[in-house]
Amino acid sequence: MTASTSSSSTQPQTLTRTVLGARRPSNFFWATVLTFGGLGFALAGASSYFKTNLLPFADPTQLLFIPQGIAMGFYGVAALVMGTFLWVVISLDVGGGYNQFDKTSNRLQIVRNGFWGENRHIEIEHPLQNVTAVRVAIKEGLNPKRALYLRIQGRPDIPLTRVGQPIPLSDLENQGAELARFLQVPLEGL
């Protein structure tokens, strides 16, 4: 989070918050596990088919190709495809970006990274006076959700926080209160 101040006043005129995208440690972990695990399973399946040991730590040549070798090969290819997808998402940093609120230009700008093509960079801009509230959404349970939304006149609520693991409640409340104070709008949902 960055705030820059104007020389004419002591209050910050710009509030910028970065949003963590796909470059999270958990995504790196799972991409690595899927890549190496998939490679191991695919090599085990190929070893059982060719009856040549392609793995330095095991001897899958003893496996019957039908059904064990083919199943291992299938799981290996599936894991490699998922691992490759995760590596692409990480390299593009899908979902990463920033939220910027600028009182000097009276604009808010929300920028996120997407996939290739026209939607590679997703940008939303609005005048600050169209912001009616900052909303906090909290859902506990098996699939908890804790997020901040920006309520803009005549538009659906715009999410401001990252997707994935929920933000701690204290951080969510602090971020929401700070943003509501900065924009001078009510904080809803607490």
Side-chain angles (χ1 to χ4, degrees), residues 33 63 67 84 89-91 98 104 115 118 120 128 136 143 146 156-157 163 168 178 184 190:
V33 166
L63 297 173
T84 302
V89 167
I90 289 168
S91 69
Y98 63 90
T104 307
F115 284 101
E118 288 182 28
R120 175 67 181 114
L128 286 180
V136 177
N143 188 17
R146 298 178 193 143
D157 292 353
V163 176
E178 180 187 11
Q184 299 172 347
L190 288 179

Side-chain angles (χ1 to χ4, degrees), residues 126-186:
H126 278 284
L128 286 180
Q129 66 262 20
N130 288 357
V131 177
T132 59
V134 174
R135 183 172 68 87
V136 177
I138 300 171
K139 180 184 135 198
E140 298 297 336
L142 192 57
N143 188 17
K145 181 179 181 180
R146 298 178 193 143
L148 280 179
Y149 292 89
L150 199 61
R151 197 161 269 175
I152 295 180
Q153 193 173 16
R155 286 196 51 121
D157 292 353
I158 299 172
L160 298 176
T161 50
R162 70 178 185 239
V163 176
Q165 53 198 142
I167 300 170
L169 280 174
S170 59
D171 292 348
L172 185 70
E173 291 172 355
N174 290 338
Q175 288 179 17
E178 180 187 11
L179 182 58
R181 246 189 328 272
F182 180 81
L183 296 174
Q184 299 172 347
V185 295

Side-chain angles (χ1 to χ4, degrees), residues 4-134:
S4 61
T5 57
S6 171
S7 58
S8 62
S9 70
T10 57
Q11 290 188 346
Q13 295 299 306
T14 303
L15 181 66
T16 303
R17 290 193 176 143
T18 58
V19 177
L20 182 64
R23 292 185 181 159
R24 293 190 301 260
S26 62
N27 282 351
F28 281 103
F29 171 78
W30 287 113
T32 303
V33 166
L34 283 169
T35 301
F36 286 115
L39 188 61
F41 271 78
L43 288 176
S47 293
S48 74
Y49 179 75
F50 294 116
K51 297 297 182 199
T52 304
N53 190 4
L54 300 173
L55 290 173
F57 52 85
D59 187 16
T61 58
Q62 304 303 316
L63 297 173
L64 296 173
F65 182 67
I66 306 275
Q68 296 156 328
I70 201 163
M72 291 186 87
F74 173 75
Y75 290 137
V77 169
L80 286 172
V81 168
M82 288 189 294
T84 302
F85 174 76
L86 261 179
W87 285 117
V88 168
V89 167
I90 289 168
S91 69
L92 295 174
D93 194 25
V94 174
Y98 63 90
N99 306 322
Q100 185 174 47
F101 306 92
D102 189 356
K103 287 184 177 179
T104 307
S105 66
N106 196 33
R107 305 283 306 162
L108 72 88
Q109 184 179 25
I110 298 171
V111 177
R112 297 291 186 274
N113 295 326
F115 284 101
W116 295 288
E118 288 182 28
N119 296 329
R120 175 67 181 114
H121 295 287
I122 302 161
E123 293 186 31
I124 299 173
E125 286 194 29
H126 278 284
L128 286 180
Q129 66 262 20
N130 288 357
V131 177
T132 59
V134 174

